[in-house]
Amino acid sequence: MTAAASKYVWSHKHLLGLEHLTAEDIRFILQTARGFEGVSTRSVKKVPALRGKVVVNLFFEPSTRTKSSFYLAASRLSADTLDFSASGSSLSKGETVVDTARNIEAMGVDVIVVRHKQSGVPQLLAESVACSVVNAGDGAHEHPTQALLDMYTMGQRLNRPDFDFSGLNVAIVGDIAHSRVARSNIHGLQKLGANVLLVGPPTLVPRTFEALGCEVHHDLDAVLSRIDVANMLRVQFERITSQAFPSVREYATVFGLSAPRLAKMKKDVLVMHPGPINRGLEIESAVADGPNSAILQQVANGLAVRMAVLFLVHGAQYMNAEGENDE
Amino acid sequence: MKVLADETQIATLMDRLAKEFGAEVEASDAPWAIVGIRSRGDVLAQRLARRVKVEYSGNVDIALYRDDLSEVGPQPIVRTTEIDFPIDGVNILLVDDVLMTGRSVRAAIQSLIDFGRPRKIKLMVLVDRGGRELPIAPDYVGQRVNTEPDQLVEVRITPTDPDDEIVMFKRPRKAEGRP
């Protein structure tokens, strides 16, 4: 290990969000993920790094891709995995979230991956249990692994292997107010040096976001030519309770990424979407499936990033005082 | 600190190793690959590959295969493993800098086998310092040295380090071991 590389030590037992990580922490996760990327292409798609450990998916909200991605990431690290879904569990019998987590922990669990519709639940669990906690999305607060995989994909596609994003204009378009993906991305991208533009109707992109140091725009066409990366968020019908925009068709016309809009953007603009896509609403099919799109690459990278996160948070549990690491 | 070999002596060792290994490659009809173990073995493997022409070359990072992951300190730094060739039926020469317990080599072998079924795997090390904890024996050895457990042997090699040298010193109280 070179002197420079050995100076930095990952010390976080939990991953609750990107807001409280440093740029160095974030780059370390992304660089670690690179070492995991090749695992999925081997004939044996597994490494023994977490052999004999147990990772629990504790999802209080429906999820297919994030849950599958964490499940597969844990499997590829040779950990045992357990799925604990809210429906049909004792939660419907009145048990509190903390009691549920403590009961699961009592079974000898090493990492809890949690998703909950309430912001702050991962934090609460981290304070209540002894094992590691990874946030897989809490309310409209944070979804750190999604932002990490977005940034990993950007580093890869824009050829910035050191994950220094200075000089890049990254637009996050859509329902920012209800989006935990947006919040994690804002924190992460700014730490890595990018300029963040939030674009959407005033009901979904309030001016208050300027306080986070972002540009707020309500006219997508006005900023098209400046954008290096467009992260098109999904319109979350299930979270919008009031009438945030007049009609779906109007939203698609004003804020959807259509082929004519793409033609007005930089030639090598990167188009991303956290999925699942509402085709024809926030993004047109031809754009989603076109050469500028990184959507499927994001999914593949999610696996490597989540492997890195599980590996790192678990290892931090065993840090001894000296941090000694013998041959 | 004691210098066991300087730049010229390392060059002589590498000359001999290249010659010995070259003879084996010459005499065999199966394809060969030279695979270095990160993070010094890969540099030695590249140097060897410039001398002995073989079909393939690659690197393995053993961080994910260590058997002591939860025994010691923070997680080791994970680097990329680069095996970009079909491994089935290929003869592989594993290259590492210092051989002691044999645990790194065991991890590297397991990692290689997860890529497929090589025809055979051989081991070359620049320094064998004894102290094996596993039944692992090198096929090519640059230099053998007798050491005490509290001594450290380090191979320093450009461009990873400023100079080429093999040094031996007493383990500092707060050791900074290499994964």
Side-chain angles (χ1 to χ4, degrees):
Chain A
M1 197 185 297
T2 60
S6 65
K7 284 236 175 66
Y8 175 85
V9 175
W10 171 265
S11 60
H12 301 280
K13 187 180 154 187
H14 311 290
L15 179 71
L16 304 176
L18 299 188
E19 186 178 358
H20 300 293
L21 295 188
T22 63
E24 210 177 10
D25 289 328
I26 294 171
R27 290 198 175 101
F28 188 74
I29 301 174
L30 299 176
Q31 268 146 10
T32 301
R34 202 176 280 148
F36 286 97
E37 208 189 313
V39 174
S40 304
T41 58
R42 299 180 189 183
S43 78
V44 176
K45 296 178 181 54
K46 249 182 201 295
V47 290
L50 293 189
R51 197 166 51 119
K53 308 299 174 195
V54 183
V55 176
V56 172
N57 273 334
L58 182 57
F59 278 58
F60 296 100
E61 240 188 15
S63 157
T64 312
R65 75 194 60 210
T66 305
K67 197 155 112 178
S68 312
S69 182
F70 268 110
Y71 176 85
L72 209 49
S75 306
R76 290 198 173 161
L77 293 169
S78 304
D80 292 317
T81 48
L82 175 67
D83 253 345
F84 194 94
S85 300
S87 57
S89 79
S90 31
L91 278 159
S92 43
K93 299 172 191 161
E95 191 179 48
T96 68
V97 177
V98 171
D99 280 333
T100 305
R102 284 192 179 138
N103 273 278
I104 291 171
E105 195 197 13
M107 298 179 204
V109 164
D110 299 281
V111 183
I112 294 180
V113 177
V114 62
R115 167 171 288 191
H116 200 284
K117 67 174 189 299
Q118 201 69 48
S119 301
V121 166
Q123 174 82 39
L124 179 69
L125 292 191
E127 288 162 7
S128 320
V129 296
C131 61
S132 291
V133 175
V134 174
N135 182 1
D138 61 330
H141 176 227
E142 284 227 42
H143 188 356
T145 57
Q146 177 67 43
L148 287 166
L149 74 89
D150 290 344
M151 294 187 284
Y152 187 85
T153 308
M154 285 172 53
Q156 206 176 41
R157 284 283 291 255
L158 303 175
N159 199 20
R160 299 207 176 199
D162 52 356
F163 301 106
D164 179 353
F165 293 157
S166 12
L168 284 184
N169 285 317
V170 181
I172 307 176
V173 184
D175 181 1
I176 309 294
H178 298 88
S179 174
R180 53 195 176 208
V181 174
R183 272 177 193 72
S184 286
N185 260 298
I186 291 168
H187 292 305
L189 287 167
Q190 287 184 338
K191 283 172 203 220
L192 300 194
N195 179 40
V196 180
L197 294 76
L198 304 176
V199 188
T203 44
L204 299 177
V205 190
R207 286 264 165 221
T208 46
F209 277 92
E210 283 174 347
L212 290 176
C214 304
E215 294 181 28
V216 170
H217 297 280
H218 303 307
D219 181 359
L220 179 59
D221 290 311
V223 292
L224 277 181
S225 60
R226 289 172 53 207
I227 298 174
D228 297 295
V229 180
N231 199 346
M232 308 303 294
L233 298 183
R234 184 173 68 94
V235 175
Q236 308 193 68
F237 298 108
E238 71 273 23
R239 278 188 228 281
I240 299 175
T241 43
S242 62
Q243 207 63 39
F245 47 83
S247 77
V248 165
R249 193 139 62 114
E250 189 194 284
Y251 182 88
T253 312
V254 181
F255 294 104
L257 192 52
S258 58
R261 280 213 169 91
L262 186 70
K264 288 184 199 148
M265 297 172 89
K266 291 184 182 173
K267 206 172 128 278
D268 50 358
V269 64
L270 188 61
V271 176
M272 304 206 294
H273 191 297
I277 310 179
N278 297 313
R279 279 181 188 267
L281 178 44
E282 63 263 358
I283 191 164
E284 204 173 84
S285 278
V287 179
D289 304 329
N292 294 77
S293 164
I295 296 175
L296 291 177
Q297 213 174 343
Q298 286 174 270
V299 178
N301 289 339
L303 206 49
V305 164
R306 291 185 174 112
M307 284 172 82
V309 166
L310 292 174
F311 177 73
L312 291 173
V313 294
H314 177 264
Q317 283 186 46
Y318 291 90
M319 285 231 312
N320 59 20
E322 268 100 348
E324 204 167 296
N325 202 355
D326 283 345
E327 198 159 289
Chain B
M1 189 176 80
K2 191 178 156 196
V3 176
L4 299 176
D6 61 14
E7 192 182 338
T8 329
Q9 287 163 315
I10 289 179
T12 314
L13 293 177
M14 289 298 290
D15 276 346
R16 178 168 58 75
L17 290 171
K19 215 167 178 183
E20 291 174 9
F21 173 60
E24 177 166 6
V25 170
E26 194 99 334
S28 107
D29 36 7
W32 276 89
I34 299 176
V35 174
I37 302 178
R38 292 195 192 274
S39 63
R40 294 293 190 290
D42 53 349
V43 183
L44 293 172
Q46 281 162 21
R47 287 194 188 181
L48 185 71
R50 282 200 289 272
R51 316 280 295 274
V52 184
K53 292 294 164 212
V54 295
E55 282 78 0
Y56 309 111
S57 62
N59 300 304
V60 287
D61 180 76
I62 56 158
L64 304 176
Y65 285 85
R66 288 170 58 133
D67 56 8
D68 55 358
L69 274 178
S70 47
E71 313 288 316
V72 291
Q75 298 293 40
I77 293 187
V78 180
R79 300 178 179 82
T80 53
T81 289
E82 287 151 9
I83 302 288
D84 307 329
F85 52 90
I87 204 168
D88 294 334
V90 174
N91 291 327
I92 292 183
L93 180 76
L94 265 180
V95 181
D96 205 0
D97 55 350
V98 182
L99 178 61
M100 185 184 168
T101 61
R103 288 178 192 272
S104 302
V105 175
R106 180 211 64 82
I109 292 172
Q110 193 191 343
S111 162
L112 283 176
I113 286 173
D114 281 355
F115 281 89
R117 186 180 187 280
R119 187 159 172 270
K120 62 182 172 192
I121 301 177
K122 293 214 155 189
L123 174 62
M124 177 187 288
V125 295
L126 193 56
V127 184
D128 179 357
R129 58 163 294 186
R132 219 76 79 235
E133 294 170 4
L134 293 172
I136 281 179
D139 301 283
Y140 299 97
V141 180
Q143 190 173 7
R144 284 177 213 276
V145 289
N146 291 318
T147 56
E148 300 297 323
D150 66 339
Q151 287 173 320
L152 278 179
V153 176
E154 254 185 40
V155 170
R156 295 174 181 165
I157 204 101
T158 54
T160 314
D161 306 294
D163 297 297
D164 280 7
E165 57 182 1
I166 305 173
V167 294
M168 182 162 81
F169 51 91
K170 258 208 162 354
R171 188 184 290 265
R173 255 162 33 97
K174 200 177 160 189
E176 200 179 6
R178 276 199 258 125

